[in-house]
Amino acid sequence: MDSGVIEGGLNVTLTIRLLMHGKEVGSIIGKKGETVKKMREESGARINISEGNCPERITTLAGPTTAIFKAFSMIIEKLEEDICSSMTNSTATTKPPVTLRIVVPASQCGSLIGKGGCKIKEIRESTGAQVQVAGDMLPNSTERAITIAGTPQSIIECVKQICVVMLESPPKGVTIPYRPKLSGSPVIFAGGQAYAVQGQHAIPQPDLTKLHQLAMQQSPFPIATSNTGYTGIEASSQNTSSMTISNDLIGCIIGRQGAKINEIRQMSGAQIKIANPVDGSTDRQVTINGTPASISLAEYLINARLSSEATGLATN
């Protein structure tokens, strides 16, 4: 990394989050994890790849700036290599640019774009890379994706400049990190296993199965499942429970356009109502109606969601 960037205030510890397609992640991991192991050893950066059989995965680079940019350069080179390999069996005559997406808190995007778009224009012109900041936040998060395309060198220079801006303008408020998942897939339980339905296929979801089993261990009430899906809870009595959740975290429970709360309703079988904000209060009241077991499962799923956000904020 050139000394000019270090003098510009970049000689610190950084975290960069990359949003990658499954195929790209497979290439970065390599056979038996050898490629990513080599990247970790040679760069000295911590490289963590999110779990899950998702179309998208998050690759997190953390460590001192020199280590981060060494790892980042190695990832870019690998993506460039993949493009060159794909060209050998292709009829295309022009090589497509390397394209990468980084994920940043939405609260920092204003500084990155600059007044009237002046900052992002300056970055485009000085690096030669194409840079596009997404207008919408990523689902169930307060982060946006920035798409960067160009030559490996122009992308590396572009990300360095973005990092300088982000260090000068720290994020405001609470950041809820984006966690990729099977988008909008209905979930069914069959034979004690959780499956996400995609078209005509049912894809096993080990994380949801684990969550479901944990919730059942905590609940003294039996849950009925069948091979046709989730049939509900054996217990006729209707109970009411309430929870108090901070305004800062209520968004991660509701999800984008209510997707997350609807998923919790569907999985638990409980009715869940979130009270409107009250002036002067920093909390929101959540009322859960249903059988004792459905309430227990709903509470567990809500708490699991809150703890995963808290852990995500702590580790990212």
Side-chain angles (χ1 to χ4, degrees):
M1 191 167 71
D2 62 281
S3 59
V5 176
I6 295 174
E7 286 162 14
L10 247 191
N11 193 16
V12 290
T13 301
L14 273 182
T15 300
I16 297 178
R17 282 158 51 81
L18 308 173
L19 182 56
M20 305 179 93
H21 295 298
K23 192 179 174 186
E24 293 169 332
V25 169
S27 173
I28 301 303
I29 293 171
K31 200 172 182 183
K32 294 182 180 174
E34 284 172 9
T35 306
V36 75
K37 186 184 174 195
K38 184 184 174 195
M39 287 178 179
R40 286 180 181 128
E41 287 170 357
E42 289 189 15
S43 69
R46 294 193 302 278
I47 305 173
N48 182 47
I49 297 165
S50 67
E51 296 293 328
N53 184 21
C54 306
E56 294 179 325
R57 308 267 285 277
I58 295 278
T59 300
T60 306
L61 310 179
T65 47
T66 45
I68 287 276
F69 285 111
K70 172 70 176 164
F72 187 70
S73 300
M74 292 175 84
I75 286 173
I76 298 285
E77 281 161 22
K78 186 73 183 84
L79 297 176
E80 167 87 343
E81 196 183 292
D82 293 344
I83 289 170
C84 293
S85 302
S86 68
M87 291 288 290
T88 54
N89 304 319
S90 166
T91 54
T93 50
T94 53
K95 190 175 79 170
V98 177
T99 302
L100 200 81
R101 288 176 297 168
I102 65 171
V103 177
V104 303
S107 61
Q108 290 178 294
C109 288
S111 304
L112 195 56
I113 293 165
K115 197 171 182 181
C118 63
K119 189 66 193 174
I120 200 144
K121 187 182 176 201
E122 180 192 309
I123 293 172
R124 284 182 188 127
E125 287 173 356
S126 64
T127 64
Q130 297 171 341
V131 191
Q132 198 66 44
V133 180
D136 294 329
M137 286 191 270
L138 289 156
N140 303 322
S141 79
T142 57
E143 292 189 307
R144 288 199 219 172
I146 299 173
T147 305
I148 306 163
T151 63
Q153 194 49 49
S154 70
I155 292 175
I156 292 163
E157 190 52 44
C158 179
V159 171
K160 284 181 183 177
Q161 292 200 24
I162 287 171
C163 288
V164 170
V165 175
M166 290 174 70
L167 285 166
E168 288 170 353
S169 309
K172 300 174 191 73
V174 175
T175 300
I176 299 172
Y178 174 55
R179 283 180 168 47
K181 56 183 62 169
L182 289 159
S183 52
S185 305
V187 175
I188 60 168
F189 291 98
Q193 302 293 312
Y195 298 89
V197 181
Q198 284 198 310
Q200 297 179 334
H201 304 283
I203 298 160
Q205 295 292 291
D207 288 349
L208 281 179
T209 301
K210 242 181 280 177
L211 196 60
H212 185 59
Q213 287 166 350
L214 277 169
M216 292 310 93
Q217 287 164 16
Q218 290 201 354
S219 168
F221 302 95
I223 283 206
T225 56
S226 78
N227 288 329
T228 56
Y230 194 51
T231 57
I233 293 163
E234 294 171 348
S236 55
S237 60
Q238 292 289 307
N239 288 26
T240 300
S241 171
S242 65
M243 300 174 76
T244 303
I245 296 174
S246 161
N247 280 333
D248 291 341
L249 290 170
I250 202 74
C252 78
I253 301 298
I254 296 170
R256 192 169 187 181
Q257 295 177 333
K260 180 52 60 181
I261 195 73
N262 286 338
E263 186 184 301
I264 294 171
R265 285 180 183 125
Q266 182 188 347
M267 287 175 70
S268 66
Q271 294 176 321
I272 306 169
K273 288 179 182 169
I274 298 171
N276 290 327
V278 177
D279 287 344
S281 171
T282 57
D283 297 321
R284 298 274 281 277
Q285 200 70 21
V286 178
T287 307
I288 307 166
N289 290 305
T291 60
S294 69
I295 289 173
S296 172
L297 182 51
E299 287 177 344
Y300 184 86
L301 292 168
I302 289 170
N303 283 322
R305 178 78 183 154
L306 291 170
S307 66
S308 76
E309 289 305 329
T311 308
L313 289 169
T315 56
N316 289 302

